[in-house]
Amino acid sequence: MDRSSPTAARSTRPDVDPEQREAPYLDALVEYAAREPGRFHVPGHKGGAGADVAMVEALGATALEHDIPALIEGIDAGPEPTPFTRAQQLAASAWGAGRSWFLINGASQGNHAACLALRHYGRHVVVQRNVHSSTVDGMVMGGLEPTFVAPVLDTELGIAHCVTADDLGRALDATPDAVGAMVVSPTYFGAVADIAALAEVAHARGLPLVVDEAWGAHLRFGEGLPASALECGADLVLSSVHKLIGSLTQSAILHLGTESRVDEQVLDRSVTLVESTSPSALLAGSLDAARRHAAVNGPALLAETLPALARTRAEIRDIPGLDVLDEGLTEQPGVHAYDPLRLAVDVRGTGVTGLRMAALLRELDDINVELASDTVIVAVFGIGEPAADSAARLVAGLRHAVAAVGEHEQGAPERFAPPPPWGPLELSPREAFFAAQEAVPLGSAAGRIAAESLAAYPPGVPNVLPGERISVETVEFIRDTLSHGGALRGAVDRTLETVRVVVE
C-alpha cells in the first residue's frame, strides 16, 4: 500500500483486533469505584462525599467517584502489565506506534517532552516557523537553538500552510549540526503536509522527524482520509486526542515510531520530567475510552460523517458571499492533502471579516466556531457526533449571519492585510527568555528584541517569537488586527499597552 499517497487506501486493513474492544484502565477505575473502598488517600473530595454540593451537581457524582489518584494497586500499580500500562500498549497498537505515552497536560506536554528529548543529542534543530507556542516553550526549557523554516503562505487567504520537502532540505543543509526537524501537520485550516517526503529528507541526513499532529489524531481510523504521520515514517508524533476523537479536554498521546531515531528511554525520561505526579485518572481513562471508540467504531462513524460534510460544503457554497476550503487546497505548494473534518469557510465575498462573521453567528444563534481569521472561519467536527444535525444548524446560522450583513452592514469590503515577514532571530528563545528585560510601550518596541511571544489572533501564526527583532510592520499589523476585534496571545500584558523586550 502506498502510504505516501494523499488518501492512502485502508480497504486492506485487517478487522479490528479483539483486544481493541477492551478498555483495561477505564474498566479498572470503574471496578475500584464500584467496590466503595475506604478512601484514605487524596483527593480530598473522597469520591464526592467531601465535595462542594454545587460541584457534585455540575460534574455528577460518578465523575468524582472515578477521580482516583495514582499508585493504586490493580490500576497503575502491581504486577506488570498493569491496566494503565496495558491501555498505553493498546494505544500504541491502534495508532501503529512502537510505544505511546498518555499525556494529562495536553499536547503542550508532548511538545515540551519532544524538545527535551532532542536536546539530549545537541542544541540545534530545524523548526517550522508556525509551530505551536508550546514548542517554543519547550525550546526555552531545553535550550534548543532553532533554525526556522517558513511554511508556504497563502497570500490570498492570509494563512499559513505546511513546509515543503525542498524548503526543509535547504534549512537542514544550512544547519549541519541539527539534531532533528519539527513540523506541523495538519494545520488549523486542514492542510496536510507531505510527511513521507519530509521524513525522507530528514532520514537521509540521519535525523528524526517530529510531527505535531495534534489536529490529526483521527487520520488513522477512516477511509478517504490522508495517511497519518506514523504511517508516513515520522519518528515522533503528537496526537491531541480530545480535539476530534473525543477524550476529555487536556488529554493527548505522544507516539514513538516503530523505527524511531529518538531513543525510547530518553523520551520516557523527558515525558516524566514534565508530567504531574498527581495525574488525572479521568483524563487518562478518557484516553483509554477514546482509543477504543476510534479503533472499533471510527471507520463506520467516519463513513457517515465525511459524506455529511461533503453535502454541507455544497450547501455553504450556495450561500451568497461564502466559499469553502476543500481538496482544491492541494493545488497550493506545501499542501499534500486536505483533512475533510475541518470545515473552513471563506467569508471574503460577504465584505466582512471572519471575526465579524463569527461574532454574528454567536450573537444571532449562539453558534461558536473554533477559529476566526480575517478571511476564514473554521468549524470542526468530531468523528462521533451527528454531523448532519450539527452541520444543519451551522448552515442555518451562516444564512442568518449573511442576511444580517446584507441588511445592516453593506459597504465596501474590509481590507484583508496579510501578516508581515518575520523578523530576524538574534537570540535563541532561551537566551531571550532569561535575558535582562524591560517593558516598553508597543509603539516603542520596533527595533527591539522580543522577550516574549506575540501572536495577533488571527491569523494565529506567531508574529514575534522570543529572540526575534520586532519590525515596524509587525507593530502596525498587531495594532490593526486588534482594532478589528482580534486578540493577542503570548504577551504578559494582555492589554498590549507594553511589550517585554531584551535590554541590549
Side-chain angles (χ1 to χ4, degrees):
M1 179 160 45
D2 180 9
R3 292 296 189 188
S4 66
S5 65
T7 54
R10 298 208 166 73
S11 58
T12 58
R13 281 187 67 196
D15 292 338
V16 175
D17 184 338
E19 292 187 337
Q20 290 295 336
R21 301 183 185 278
E22 303 173 5
Y25 181 70
L26 182 64
D27 289 345
L29 295 178
V30 171
E31 192 275 334
Y32 184 79
R35 296 201 318 257
E36 298 184 358
R39 294 180 183 242
F40 298 96
H41 53 60
V42 297
H45 62 64
K46 301 298 181 176
D52 177 77
V53 173
M55 183 170 76
V56 177
E57 292 177 350
L59 302 182
T62 301
L64 298 177
E65 290 170 0
H66 295 90
D67 185 20
I68 295 167
L71 301 179
I72 296 295
E73 187 78 15
I75 296 179
D76 63 342
E80 290 287 352
T82 65
F84 180 71
T85 300
R86 185 65 185 136
Q88 293 191 129
Q89 291 172 344
L90 288 172
S93 177
W95 270 275
R99 182 176 174 184
S100 297
W101 288 260
F102 283 3
L103 307 176
I104 45 79
N105 195 28
S108 297
Q109 180 188 348
N111 279 325
H112 296 164
C115 288
L116 291 172
L118 289 178
R119 180 61 182 85
H120 282 74
Y121 304 103
R123 289 183 177 274
H124 297 277
V125 289
V126 171
V127 183
Q128 185 169 329
R129 176 53 177 75
N130 58 324
V131 289
H132 191 266
S133 59
S134 60
T135 299
V136 180
D137 295 341
M139 289 190 287
V140 169
M141 295 166 64
L144 290 175
E145 299 179 15
T147 296
F148 287 119
V149 55
V152 174
L153 294 177
D154 190 318
T155 56
E156 288 190 8
L157 291 171
I159 62 177
H161 293 317
C162 307
V163 167
T164 67
D166 288 343
D167 287 342
L168 179 62
R170 281 188 285 269
L172 288 172
D173 289 342
T175 316
D177 52 353
V179 296
M182 308 181 77
V183 300
V184 179
S185 176
T187 68
Y188 239 126
F189 303 94
V192 178
D194 189 349
I195 297 297
L198 296 174
E200 183 178 354
V201 167
H203 294 167
R205 294 160 174 81
L207 302 177
L209 179 71
V210 179
V211 181
D212 184 344
E213 198 177 50
W215 281 101
H218 60 291
L219 296 180
R220 171 79 170 175
F221 301 106
E223 299 282 352
L225 293 175
S228 70
L230 283 170
E231 292 174 287
C232 293
D235 297 87
L236 193 58
V237 175
L238 187 60
S239 294
S240 193
V241 180
H242 75 89
K243 284 183 167 60
L244 300 179
I245 291 182
S247 60
L248 291 177
T249 299
Q250 200 176 305
S251 59
I253 303 179
L254 184 62
H255 303 287
L256 189 69
T258 55
E259 298 180 3
S260 180
R261 289 155 180 79
V262 178
D263 183 83
E264 178 182 337
Q265 293 186 354
V266 165
L267 185 59
D268 187 52
R269 290 172 54 205
S270 299
V271 171
T272 301
L273 186 68
V274 291
E275 74 179 1
S276 170
T277 56
S278 301
S280 168
L282 298 179
L283 295 182
S286 77
L287 285 170
D288 196 21
R291 180 272 312 157
R292 177 172 62 182
H293 190 46
V296 175
N297 304 317
L301 293 171
L302 287 164
E304 296 179 2
T305 301
L306 297 182
L309 293 182
R311 294 191 296 271
T312 302
R313 287 183 173 84
E315 293 175 5
I316 292 175
R317 282 197 174 97
D318 288 337
I319 301 174
L322 299 183
D323 199 358
V324 293
L325 279 60
D326 58 15
E327 289 80 3
L329 269 187
T330 58
E331 299 174 5
Q332 297 267 357
V335 183
H336 183 63
Y338 182 73
D339 175 15
L341 283 190
R342 222 66 47 80
L343 188 56
V345 182
D346 181 351
V347 304
R348 288 176 295 169
T350 65
V352 298
T353 64
L355 289 165
R356 181 58 187 148
M357 186 62 64
L360 287 170
L361 286 168
R362 184 175 60 252
E363 294 164 6
L364 297 175
D365 291 292
D366 199 15
I367 291 174
N368 298 276
V369 297
E370 174 65 30
L371 169 70
S373 75
D374 275 355
T375 60
V376 176
I377 60 173
V378 179
V380 298
F381 289 78
I383 67 170
E385 71 176 293
D389 296 339
S390 301
R393 181 174 183 181
L394 177 63
V395 171
L398 286 169
R399 290 196 179 105
H400 198 182
V402 169
V405 170
E407 293 173 6
H408 306 294
E409 303 188 24
Q410 286 181 331
E414 297 189 42
R415 182 175 66 87
F416 305 116
W422 298 299
L425 186 69
E426 305 285 2
L427 298 173
S428 74
R430 183 181 178 89
E431 289 172 329
F433 184 87
F434 288 110
Q437 303 170 14
E438 62 181 340
V440 300
L442 176 62
S444 303
R448 302 295 298 273
I449 297 174
E452 60 186 353
S453 295
L454 300 176
Y457 212 72
V461 179
N463 305 101
V464 179
L465 294 178
E468 289 183 339
R469 197 169 291 281
I470 304 170
S471 68
V472 173
E473 293 80 7
T474 295
V475 171
E476 293 176 350
F477 177 80
I478 291 173
R479 280 178 162 168
D480 182 67
T481 300
L482 295 178
S483 71
H484 283 81
L488 188 82
R489 296 176 60 191
V492 172
D493 182 356
R494 299 297 193 267
T495 67
L496 202 63
E497 292 180 2
T498 61
V499 174
R500 296 197 67 77
V501 297
V502 173
V503 176
E504 296 182 73

